[in-house]
Amino acid sequence: MENIKNKREFVNELTIKLAEYEDERKKYLLRWFSIQLTSILGLCVFFKITISMLRPAPFIFVLFSIILLAGIIYFFCNFFVEDKKFKNFLKEKCKSNILRNYNLITGNEGLGFPYYLLKDSNLFCKYTYEKTDDVIMGKYKNVEYTISETKLIIEVKNFKFTVFKGVIISFKSNKKILAETLVTTKGDNNIRNYPPNSNFTKVFIGLYCIMLCGICILLDIKFPIIAIIILAGISIALFVEKNAMKDVNLEDVSFDKRFNVYTKDQVEARYLLTTTFMDRLKSLETSFGTKGIKCSFFDDNIMFAIPTKKDLFELGSIFQPLGSNKSIEEFYDELNSIHEIIDHFKLNENTGL
């Protein structure tokens, strides 16, 4: 790998760096324990008082019940607050080591991908706005890529719904992609331009012809005019069908069972989706610890969307001694899986995919 240490060297370097903050981890853990213990004791006291006031004062009982419920909600909502703070602390302290070894720069919070790029990818249904946490821009073998921890939210009549939460990865292709191709996990219909049923065109043409014939008979329209109208309708339907996304069945049975593939060009789709790419896609999914992934080849872009609740590139936790290098290995595997995609498509070369 270009200017990048192997896994063992990288893990050892970061493990040594993280070990410097083991005492800090214990302080965070002690603070977390104190807060949780205080919360539990407070809830127990409120519970005891509430029970004691059950008979003499029903109104006070209701009031204390509400306070007790609020305390329980507060307890669970803040269970991982200290852990989140500590993870952010580690990121800041180890940032220079990570950036140097992986040719990375951190982007501005809140600035992920432009709306038009996410829209053109067709990977996401309609949404109102984008909210990003970590944005990281990297360069590997002169290929620039962007990774964004993103949440896409739709707002309907003052109600907000999350339509996507996870990691989005994008980089430029070295070849103009003539026909868009989408790969999605089975059951994920949360995409734009969802393709119609394969019998859509036949059904449309049949109903169209029957309807027009009936109208023309009622209005006593001459046969040549009827024929022209029907031919025009058939031409429009065929044009729509030609430019619509179609299902692709691949030779890899296990891949076909897990993923849906849609394309506007069957030949180009099979050229892109080789067995090696399928393995790379599964590896990317595994590295980010999720069971869902989707990707899009469009214009001169390749974009991956990985739904996950996990924070991007975690390096440790207050609940685990920093001598353990599991989190660092996961971090390495996440970035390495992205580099494998670049290597697979030889995006640093100008010879095409």
Side-chain angles (χ1 to χ4, degrees), residues 34-215:
S34 301
I35 293 172
Q36 300 308 117
L37 182 61
T38 302
S39 299
I40 292 172
L41 290 175
L43 289 174
C44 291
V45 170
F46 271 117
F47 182 73
K48 184 174 178 61
I49 295 174
T50 300
I51 294 298
S52 65
M53 293 184 174
L54 175 59
R55 292 182 179 177
F59 172 76
I60 297 179
F61 169 72
V62 173
L63 178 62
F64 273 82
S65 296
I66 294 173
I67 295 173
L68 177 64
L69 179 61
I72 293 172
I73 294 172
Y74 176 84
F75 174 81
F76 284 105
C77 288
N78 288 274
F79 195 83
F80 295 106
V81 169
E82 289 299 315
D83 190 42
K84 177 70 173 178
K85 289 179 181 178
F86 181 67
K87 288 174 180 176
N88 291 335
F89 168 81
L90 288 181
K91 282 184 184 180
E92 284 299 316
K93 293 298 182 181
C94 298
K95 184 184 294 183
S96 60
N97 295 69
I98 296 167
L99 300 184
R100 182 178 67 253
N101 282 294
Y102 267 99
N103 294 327
L104 300 173
I105 59 173
T106 53
N108 295 324
E109 185 176 334
L111 296 177
F113 297 99
Y115 175 81
Y116 75 87
L117 190 65
L118 297 182
K119 178 178 179 295
D120 291 347
S121 74
N122 280 330
L123 285 176
F124 313 99
C125 66
K126 292 181 179 179
Y127 64 92
T128 308
Y129 62 91
E130 169 190 3
K131 184 179 179 182
T132 62
D133 288 331
D134 290 325
V135 180
I136 298 175
M137 287 165 280
K139 191 173 185 179
Y140 174 67
K141 292 187 175 179
N142 291 320
V143 178
E144 295 181 352
Y145 59 90
T146 302
I147 313 168
S148 176
E149 189 177 346
T150 301
K151 183 187 289 187
L152 302 179
I153 299 166
I154 187 169
E155 198 169 7
V156 182
K157 294 181 179 180
N158 296 324
F159 289 97
K160 296 180 181 180
F161 304 94
T162 300
V163 297
F164 174 83
K165 184 182 187 304
V167 176
I168 301 175
I169 306 164
S170 177
F171 35 72
K172 292 289 184 182
S173 167
N174 51 9
K175 173 188 175 183
K176 182 73 173 179
I177 297 168
L178 301 177
E180 180 188 2
T181 298
L182 292 179
V183 180
T184 69
T185 307
K186 291 284 187 183
D188 182 2
N189 299 330
N190 192 22
I191 57 177
R192 287 178 184 262
N193 195 27
Y194 191 75
N197 185 280
S198 57
N199 294 319
F200 171 79
T201 305
K202 296 176 184 177
V203 173
F204 176 82
I205 291 175
L207 292 175
Y208 176 81
C209 292
I210 293 171
M211 182 185 71
L212 277 183
C213 287
I215 292 174

Side-chain angles (χ1 to χ4, degrees), residues 213-261:
C213 287
I215 292 174
C216 291
I217 291 171
L218 289 174
L219 298 178
D220 195 25
I221 298 175
K222 303 293 183 180
F223 176 76
I225 298 176
I226 296 176
I228 291 171
I229 295 174
I230 291 176
L231 286 174
I234 292 174
S235 298
I236 293 171
L238 291 175
F239 176 79
V240 171
E241 171 70 8
K242 181 181 178 181
N243 290 278
M245 303 285 281
K246 300 180 182 64
D247 294 327
V248 180
N249 294 318
L250 301 170
E251 295 178 0
D252 189 324
V253 178
S254 63
F255 188 87
D256 209 38
K257 285 181 179 179
R258 287 202 54 214
F259 296 94
N260 291 321
V261 181

